[in-house]
Amino acid sequence: MKHKVFVSRIIPDEGLNLVLDACDAEVWQDELPPPREILLEKIRDKVGLLSLLTDKIDAELMDLNPQLRVVANYAVGFDNIDIPAATQRGLPIGNTPGVLTDTTADFAFTMLMSAARRVVEGADYVRAGKWKTWGPKLLTGIDIHGATLGLIGFGRIGQAMAKRASGFDMRVLYYDQYRREDLEKSMGVVYADMDTLLHESDFVSIHTDLNESTRHMFNNDAFAKMKSSAVLINSARGPIIDPAALYDALSSGKIRAAALDVTEPEPIHMDSPLLTLPNCLVVPHIASASIATRGKMAEMAAKNLIAGVNGERLPTPVNPEVYEKGIRK
Ligand code: DGY
C-alpha cells in the first residue's frame, strides 16, 4: 500500500510525477497556499508532507499527527519550520540545497545591475511616453565595474556572487560568522567586519539566512554606516531588513537605492511606502525562478519526501542529528 502524503502546492512535474508514482498523494490545487486550518486538517492522516516556504510548520502541526514521518521543504531556506521542535520529535526535515545557487546569484546580480543602471525606471519612463530626446543627465546611474561589493553571508550563494563580481573587476568584501581564509586568495575576496563592510561598500548584497541574530540586521544603525551612494540588494529573506528603516534611508538619501526580491511581510502590502519610491525595486521572490532550477528543486523535494515516508535517510536532511536520536516510525 502506498503512503499517504500531502503536497501543499502544484510543483513542477520533475518532482510531482515522482511523488504521484510512489505515494498516495493529495495535491493542493490552488495558486494560494492552503489556509492554516486546512493544512492542519490535511496532515492528520498523512505520513509525509511536501511543504513550501509559505507553510508554517511548527510544534502544533507536528503534534497533531505522530504518524507524520517527514517534511520535505521545497526551498533551500527553512525559516518557516521549527527545526528544534522537529528534531526533538524525531521528525526529519529536508530542503533543496545546491541546485538553486547559480540561478539565485544570477538574479541577485541582475537586481544589482538593474538598480545601479536604473533599468526598470528607464522602461517605465519609455512606457509613460516621457522619452523625448537623448539627454546628458537622463537616468544616469552608477558604475558596477571597479566598485566594491560587500557580501553579507559567504555560503554557496555569496560565493557565487563573488565569482560574478570578479568578471566586473569589482573589489569584494565579505562578512560571515565563519571566516573562509581557504577561499580568500583563490577567489580574491577580503574578510571585513560588518562595520567596515558597510562603510566601504558601493553595493551590499544579503546572502545570509534568517535567524534571531539576522532579523532586522539592516536597521537605522546599519543604514547610518552605509555610503549615501550605496545600493542594497536582498535576495535572502525579507525580515533581515527593517522596512521602516529602509524607507527612511531611501527617502532621506542615507543610501541611494535598494532592490528587493524578498520583503517583510510577503507579499508586500500594496500600501507599503516602499512602493512609492522610484529608487526601490521590488520583485516577488523570484530569484530561484528559472524553469530548470524549479524543476530540480521539485525533484530534490520529492526524493526527500519519498525517502522519508519509507523510513530511509533523506538525501538532504536539514537536521541530520535526528538520525542519532532515532526517528519517528
Ligand atoms: C529558497 O529556496 O529558500 C528560496 O527563497 C526560494 O527558492
Side-chain angles (χ1 to χ4, degrees), residues 53 73-79 96 100 104 157 235-237 261-262 266 285-289 293-294 297:
L53 53 82
N73 212 34
Y74 178 72
V76 66
F78 43 82
D79 51 286
T96 63
L100 46 74
T104 302
I157 300 173
S235 57
R237 284 293 182 267
D261 180 45
V262 289
E266 251 175 57
H285 203 152
I286 52 173
S288 70
T293 290
R294 288 289 167 86
M297 289 167 65

Side-chain angles (χ1 to χ4, degrees), residues 160-180:
M161 278 296 275
K163 269 202 210 165
R164 283 149 183 77
S166 75
F168 284 78
D169 296 328
M170 296 179 96
R171 170 180 174 236
V172 180
L173 305 177
Y174 77 95
Y175 169 76
D176 195 290
Q177 79 185 109
Y178 304 106
R179 183 157 176 190
R180 295 298 306 267

Side-chain angles (χ1 to χ4, degrees), residues 1-59:
M1 213 180 56
K2 289 179 174 178
H3 294 294
K4 280 173 167 275
V5 299
F6 184 61
V7 179
S8 74
R9 219 83 67 77
I10 301 174
I11 59 168
D13 287 347
E14 289 89 328
L16 193 58
N17 289 339
L18 295 177
V19 175
L20 294 174
D21 278 353
C23 306
D24 175 3
E26 182 175 356
V27 182
W28 183 251
Q29 300 291 323
D30 207 287
E31 192 196 339
L32 295 179
R36 171 84 181 163
E37 60 290 0
I38 298 198
L39 178 65
L40 296 183
E41 186 196 308
K42 293 291 180 192
I43 67 108
R44 274 181 192 279
D45 62 340
K46 304 295 190 298
V47 180
L49 168 62
L50 194 151
S51 58
L52 267 62
L53 53 82
T54 41
D55 302 315
K56 185 173 171 206
I57 311 297
D58 56 7

Side-chain angles (χ1 to χ4, degrees), residues 31 40 73 88 95 105 136 164 201 212 227 264 270 285 291 317 325:
E31 192 196 339
L40 296 183
N73 212 34
Q88 200 190 11
N95 72 339
R164 283 149 183 77
S201 298
E212 279 327 299
K227 289 187 176 183
E264 179 187 61
M270 284 312 291
H285 203 152
I291 297 164
K325 260 189 91 258

